[in-house]
Amino acid sequence: MKSKNYNLRFLFVGVATLILSCVEKKKEIPVSQVINKSAVEYAAGFSIQHNSEYTVVKVIEPWPGASKGYSYAFIPQEKLASITYPKDTYDAVIATPIKDFVITSTTHIPAVEVLGGLNKVVGFPNTKYISSMPARKLIAERKIKELGTNESLNTEMVLELAPDLIVGFGINNQNSTYEVIQKANIPVVFNGDWNEKTPLGKAEWIKFFGVLLNKEKEADSIFGNIVSEYERVRTLSEKAIHRPTVLSGALYKDVWYLPAGESWAAQFLADANVNYLWQKSQGTGSLSLSLESVLEKGKDADFWISPSQFTGYTEMEESNSHYQQFKAFKDKKIFTFSATKGPTGGLLFYELAPQRPDLVLKDMVHIFHPDLLPNHSPYFFTPLQ
């Protein structure tokens, strides 16, 4: 009898040990167990949280007026099998490091490129708009596949590629294509860089890609250098003795569109220390104005920047003869980014400017205050021809 009890105790201890061993190997990590938050100082649309086992990226505002945000867990591959996480807490769980992925906006290209991740990109919609030469080489080698248009991704090709994830963007919550892809167990991670309202806010999304590519320290360092240069040039612009008046935009079907005073584009002009004539207007997008109202306010502006798609004076004159009434037109003081294109016609400004606001600001200070940056070679903006 004693031997039997001993055997039962031995069996109980063995089973208990096995259970405890399993618990230790596969443990649940509470959502609240945040060890530290990465410093996201300028961007309003995302945050990064680290706990003892994995990293969580929260996309707060993926598009304007979004009713909800998204939460993504990035878990090291070697830890994925040994931990659990609260059910339905995350919109996607991604094993890192990722082997390959799809990106969907040209604004994603510069961050991925500078972090050394272009070799992981296997697909992109509308590849003709990409200006990056390293990316164009991979497209020519068919290592980055054409996936149609962002609004209607070629789902068959995406499913065939079976990437570890898709970095998507949306203008609203109607994303039926992404829903199809998600049902095939391919995670979709929304990127809201385009929705940021400030130059440095947009650029800080490089940290988002730093998490995806396991390059957080590199992303922090690169962004730190961008901030340092941007602030240096902004401070330099304050030394300008004269603040020139500036006009922007152009007519499109009898409506003149120009940046509202709280917009990303207007912030550059404020930081370049100029008198943008619509700086005090409200809104973060564009203002829709009549030719008459723009003439009344901007006829005598010293400079005219970003005149829509125009690249030459003759082209503007033929489009609308009223452009000739502006002082900046007469004085040949119009500057455009529309002439700076990639090898297939994509505008470099749309691709690189959000990631490199320091280069944009240098261009502007060189244009408006040439004595402050006399040796700068313009990167985006060139004089109208």
Side-chain angles (χ1 to χ4, degrees), residues 244-261:
T245 51
V246 178
L247 162 72
S248 187
L251 286 167
Y252 178 74
K253 294 183 178 179
D254 298 325
V255 178
W256 194 300
Y257 296 98
L258 51 77

Side-chain angles (χ1 to χ4, degrees), residues 31-47:
V31 181
S32 60
Q33 190 180 331
V34 177
I35 302 302
N36 66 73
K37 261 190 172 184
S38 287
V40 177
E41 184 177 354
Y42 299 90
F46 79 107
S47 68

Side-chain angles (χ1 to χ4, degrees), residues 202-272:
K202 286 182 185 288
E204 195 165 18
W205 279 78
I206 190 173
K207 296 179 181 180
F208 169 95
F209 287 102
V211 174
L212 267 63
L213 296 168
N214 276 3
K215 296 285 185 74
E216 287 192 68
K217 289 183 179 179
E218 292 90 335
D220 288 348
S221 176
I222 292 166
F223 180 67
N225 290 335
I226 290 170
V227 172
S228 178
E229 273 299 280
Y230 190 94
E231 290 299 329
R232 181 184 71 82
V233 177
R234 185 188 62 77
T235 302
L236 180 66
S237 74
E238 294 175 354
K239 296 180 179 180
I241 298 172
H242 174 61
R243 294 178 70 241
T245 51
V246 178
L247 162 72
S248 187
L251 286 167
Y252 178 74
K253 294 183 178 179
D254 298 325
V255 178
W256 194 300
Y257 296 98
L258 51 77
E262 300 168 308
S263 66
W264 175 70
Q267 185 64 57
F268 280 117
L269 295 169
D271 290 342

Side-chain angles (χ1 to χ4, degrees), residues 28 40 100 155 175 183-184 214-215 230 251 254 293 319 360:
E28 182 166 319
V40 177
D100 52 27
T155 52
N175 299 297
K183 287 178 181 177
N214 276 3
K215 296 285 185 74
Y230 190 94
L251 286 167
D254 298 325
S293 68
S319 174
V360 177

Side-chain angles (χ1 to χ4, degrees), residues 243-247 269-270 272-280 301:
R243 294 178 70 241
T245 51
V246 178
L247 162 72
L269 295 169
N273 194 21
V274 302
N275 179 13
Y276 173 50
L277 295 173
W278 284 267
Q279 189 71 51
K280 294 183 180 179

Side-chain angles (χ1 to χ4, degrees), residues 169-182:
F169 79 91
I171 57 174
N172 53 45
N173 61 357
Q174 303 300 312
N175 299 297
S176 57
T177 301
Y178 290 148
E179 290 171 7
V180 171
I181 292 168
Q182 287 172 313

